[in-house]
Amino acid sequence: MSFGEMIARRRRSALDTRASMLNAARQRFLRESYENVGLRDIAKDVGVDVALVSRYFGSKEELFREVLHGSDKADKFQIAVGPEELACYLTAMFDGKEDEEQRENLERLVIVLRSSSSPQAAAIVHEAVHEDVLQPIADVLGGGEEAEIRAAMVLTILLGGAVMRSVMSVGPDCGQGPPPAIRRKLYELFRTALKETPDAAQEGAVEPVA
Amino acid sequence: MSFGEMIARRRRSALDTRASMLNAARQRFLRESYENVGLRDIAKDVGVDVALVSRYFGSKEELFREVLHGSDKADKFQIAVGPEELACYLTAMFDGKEDEEQRENLERLVIVLRSSSSPQAAAIVHEAVHEDVLQPIADVLGGGEEAEIRAAMVLTILLGGAVMRSVMSVGPDCGQGPPPAIRRKLYELFRTALKETPDAAQEGAVEPVA
DNA sequence: ATTGCATGTCAACGGGTGTAGACATAAAAG
DNA sequence: CTTTTATGTCTACACCCGTTGACATGCAAT
């Protein structure tokens, strides 16, 4: 079969270089914002001309969309545990562990974070967060409005932690694995976010918030 | 007195236009990232030529520094309450209230957030956060290492909340004042962040974090 | 009225960007 | 070997950017 062999004997395979581009782009978007990543940078990483990037992905926006959203495979936020162990699971995201799943989860958040303030990428990021991150978390929590709110609080901590880590170089650390004290507090924060709401005023302390 | 009158009868006052530029710049940096804010945009807002912006501030970086860090006045993160009411105070930051102090605090965080991923602005942001935000919070908490950690956790929530609010349009809301349910959870998160650490394993639940 | 300084404008430079079309080359098909 | 198709390169466009130096204007002092 001719077409099959074309795939097999790929000396110059478009799919391979395309994948390489996507990978290079991911690494770039992971470290810089949407505008600061140039198509020429990506092309240079792969060892290819700029024009090819534009041709393969149509536009920079679509390339970014494919990096963030994935194309065909449904690569959403992965949660391998039930609601009970969720706090542990989330806390573990900030350890420097080699867990592939966890690393991808965190990396997705960092990409979101880096390009979140960018007129061009904003819409894409917005959609990807709701569909690929917020929804999966809410699903694990059982759905419903309460679940959505709790998911939002969890994401608040995750994003805050990601900012502190990758931008401020404090908090959840930068040198692989946060200090134990911070790790513990982070865990407690997740617990609080996941805990059911005290329903109305549980104590007097809640009231003077205004 | 000639010089005094020159200040008083300012028809073309350099200080005024400079202040206008700074204000326009602040509004811009509040809504877009460092790279997306053009000096020409700022100049157009004030109704002035681009060159003047460059001449008055030397460079874009210095302009940004002055917007974020302030120039002479020590405008750090303002906390008007003691450690006890701190959680309330912080939660109130996300209300759409007219409190000038609170609004400036949140705005500073948003600016930090928007330009945090930007090679040029990174160093400035980094310094400003440590010196003007983290330190004041830690001071209110009484200083010491524990205070620094707690301040870091507080900032984690603040930044996460700011991302959710101004980027994702969820969580701490965007339409002035978060939904009560989220407000309550936010308050609990701050309480947790500020609470003293349970010191080692308080319950068995803390252990399986790894 | 004229000098002189502060204030602001104009034009341009060098560099960077994403994108598109014409062209070249490798490799498979006939 | 020749033809054809996929794969990749080259050139160039039109636009944006920050910055600079020369020039124009307003305004106070002489």
Side-chain angles (χ1 to χ4, degrees):
Chain A
M1 185 196 203
S2 59
F3 183 70
E5 286 190 340
M6 192 185 75
I7 297 291
R9 296 179 187 172
R10 54 198 170 195
R11 308 268 174 99
R12 292 208 314 186
S13 162
L15 287 88
D16 273 13
T17 57
R18 214 190 105 103
S20 297
M21 287 177 187
L22 225 86
N23 197 60
R26 180 181 170 83
Q27 297 305 318
R28 289 281 182 178
F29 284 125
L30 201 51
R31 281 160 183 79
E32 300 208 34
S33 68
Y34 180 83
E35 12 263 340
N36 279 312
V37 173
L39 297 190
R40 284 172 174 81
D41 301 330
I42 299 172
K44 197 165 293 178
D45 289 344
V46 182
V48 116
D49 193 273
V50 205
L52 207 60
V53 184
S54 268
R55 259 237 300 276
Y56 275 25
F57 293 95
S59 72
K60 190 183 179 183
E61 290 194 27
E62 291 192 34
L63 168 59
F64 180 73
R65 167 175 284 115
E66 194 152 332
V67 165
L68 190 62
H69 192 80
S71 55
D72 44 350
K73 54 180 290 192
D75 54 350
K76 300 175 182 294
F77 200 86
Q78 296 295 331
I79 303 178
V81 299
E84 300 81 14
E85 315 166 56
L86 193 54
C88 299
Y89 189 79
L90 293 168
T91 307
M93 275 183 56
F94 291 96
D95 302 343
K97 295 300 173 63
E98 303 160 18
D99 189 330
E100 188 70 13
E101 212 172 69
Q102 291 285 48
R103 215 200 53 206
E104 281 191 12
N105 280 343
L106 184 57
E107 285 186 355
R108 180 198 306 273
L109 288 183
V110 172
I111 294 178
V112 158
L113 194 46
R114 291 233 123 94
S115 297
S116 57
S117 293
S118 173
Q120 296 212 57
I124 302 169
V125 166
H126 187 96
E127 182 196 349
V129 164
H130 276 84
E131 186 172 329
D132 297 341
V133 181
L134 223 37
Q135 198 52 237
I137 297 179
D139 285 347
V140 172
L141 265 49
E145 190 186 353
E146 257 291 303
E148 279 185 20
I149 288 181
R150 278 188 268 185
M153 301 317 288
V154 163
L155 186 51
T156 299
I157 303 172
L158 283 175
L159 286 173
V163 181
M164 295 294 283
R165 174 187 150 108
S166 67
V167 173
M168 303 298 128
S169 308
V170 292
D173 204 17
C174 52
Q176 288 182 348
I182 288 186
R183 224 196 96 101
R184 224 178 306 142
K185 272 228 166 292
L186 206 53
Y187 172 75
E188 287 184 52
L189 283 184
F190 282 124
R191 294 259 302 182
T192 304
L194 291 171
K195 196 170 49 184
E196 72 272 10
T197 319
D199 249 357
Q202 183 190 29
E203 308 188 11
V206 181
E207 162 204 340
V209 177
Chain B
M1 183 197 209
S2 60
F3 184 70
E5 287 190 336
M6 193 184 73
I7 296 293
R9 298 179 186 173
R10 54 198 170 194
R11 308 265 175 100
R12 294 208 312 184
S13 163
L15 288 87
D16 274 12
T17 57
R18 214 190 104 103
S20 297
M21 286 177 189
L22 224 83
N23 197 60
R26 180 181 172 81
Q27 296 305 318
R28 289 280 182 178
F29 284 125
L30 201 52
R31 282 160 182 78
E32 300 208 32
S33 68
Y34 180 83
E35 11 264 340
N36 278 311
V37 174
L39 297 189
R40 285 173 173 82
D41 300 330
I42 298 172
K44 197 165 292 180
D45 289 344
V46 182
V48 119
D49 194 273
V50 204
L52 207 61
V53 184
S54 268
R55 191 111 57 88
Y56 275 25
F57 294 94
S59 71
K60 189 183 179 181
E61 290 193 27
E62 292 193 34
L63 168 58
F64 180 72
R65 165 175 284 114
E66 194 152 331
V67 165
L68 190 62
H69 192 81
S71 54
D72 44 349
K73 55 181 290 190
D75 54 349
K76 298 176 184 293
F77 198 87
Q78 297 294 331
I79 304 179
V81 299
E84 300 81 12
E85 315 165 55
L86 193 54
C88 299
Y89 189 78
L90 294 169
T91 306
M93 275 183 57
F94 291 97
D95 303 341
K97 294 300 174 61
E98 304 160 19
D99 188 330
E100 188 71 13
E101 212 173 67
Q102 291 285 48
R103 215 201 53 205
E104 281 191 13
N105 281 344
L106 184 56
E107 285 186 354
R108 182 198 305 272
L109 289 184
V110 172
I111 294 178
V112 159
L113 193 46
R114 292 233 122 94
S115 297
S116 58
S117 293
S118 171
Q120 295 211 57
I124 302 170
V125 166
H126 188 97
E127 183 196 350
V129 165
H130 275 86
E131 186 172 327
D132 298 341
V133 181
L134 223 37
Q135 197 51 237
I137 297 179
D139 286 348
V140 172
L141 265 48
E145 189 187 353
E146 256 290 303
E148 279 185 20
I149 288 181
R150 278 188 269 186
M153 301 317 288
V154 163
L155 186 51
T156 299
I157 303 173
L158 283 174
L159 286 173
V163 181
M164 295 294 282
R165 176 187 147 108
S166 66
V167 172
M168 303 297 126
S169 308
V170 291
D173 205 15
C174 52
Q176 288 182 347
I182 288 188
R183 224 195 98 101
R184 227 178 303 143
K185 273 229 165 288
L186 206 54
Y187 172 74
E188 287 184 53
L189 282 185
F190 281 124
R191 296 258 301 180
T192 304
L194 292 170
K195 195 171 51 184
E196 72 273 10
T197 319
D199 249 358
Q202 183 190 25
E203 308 189 11
V206 181
E207 162 204 336
V209 178

